Amino acid sequence: YRQDVKTRIAENDGTIFPNNCPDKTAVVLQEFIRAAKESVCIYCGHLNAAVYKNLQSDFEDAIARDVEVRVICAPGEIGAKELAEKLRDGDHFRILKEEVPVSHFAVVDGLRYRIETDQDSKEAFVCAYAGDEQQPRVRIIEGVHDILWDLAS
């Protein structure tokens, strides 16, 4: 699965593919973060430890490369506490004050994205390269992230 994601990124493959478990979600996010050049914008439930526990060094590397990292969580118990604390130190992490009816998502460099279609089962679809046809979707996701960022503290 990891090699497939890396290949899709390297080849700017715009095929939408499914993503439906914490291990695969971690792979997608890790490879997207590693490939990031400008921005990593994530809205997630509670920084699920099953997904985020091994991504701290990837976030730190992205920040060191001057990638703008902004992670927003829904209110509640945070899973990957150490990562949250590290990200909060540089104003890369915020928590919403109240729940919002928005699916969890990640968008990287305005080119790659993951959008959950079912919060309970973690079913999602992923695109490693959003070409011209998909840019309106990406711009909407980025706009929602900007609004949530301003609402969070």
Side-chain angles (χ1 to χ4, degrees), residues 71-84:
V71 178
I72 305 165
C73 281
E77 185 68 27
I78 299 300
K81 289 179 176 61
E82 186 177 330
L83 173 60

Side-chain angles (χ1 to χ4, degrees), residues 22-130:
D23 290 344
K24 288 181 178 179
T25 299
V27 167
V28 166
L29 292 175
Q30 187 171 50
E31 295 306 327
F32 280 14
I33 294 165
R34 288 177 177 177
K37 293 179 174 43
E38 297 174 13
S39 62
V40 174
C41 300
I42 297 173
Y43 169 61
C44 60
H46 304 290
L47 214 58
N48 183 334
V51 173
Y52 291 93
K53 66 182 175 199
N54 295 321
L55 299 183
Q56 184 167 327
S57 64
D58 297 296
F59 279 108
E60 290 171 350
D61 290 345
I63 292 165
R65 295 190 318 268
D66 291 324
V67 172
E68 180 184 20
V69 173
R70 298 189 315 170
V71 178
I72 305 165
C73 281
E77 185 68 27
I78 299 300
K81 289 179 176 61
E82 186 177 330
L83 173 60
E85 290 172 18
K86 196 71 154 169
L87 291 173
R88 192 182 291 272
D89 284 345
D91 193 31
H92 301 286
F93 178 78
R94 294 183 181 178
I95 299 174
L96 287 170
K97 295 174 180 107
E98 56 188 64
E99 292 284 340
V100 294
V102 175
S103 294
H104 300 164
F105 62 82
V107 63
V108 176
D109 291 342
L111 294 174
R112 300 174 235 301
Y113 63 85
R114 177 185 183 276
I115 302 173
E116 283 188 8
T117 55
D118 186 314
Q119 306 298 114
D120 296 326
S121 70
K122 304 300 181 198
E123 290 286 331
F125 59 91
V126 179
C127 183
Y129 181 75

Side-chain angles (χ1 to χ4, degrees), residues 109-113 129-142:
D109 291 342
L111 294 174
R112 300 174 235 301
Y113 63 85
Y129 181 75
D132 291 342
E133 288 181 17
Q134 300 218 29
Q135 278 304 303
R137 175 181 285 162
V138 171
R139 296 294 164 243
I140 290 169
I141 299 166
E142 289 177 323

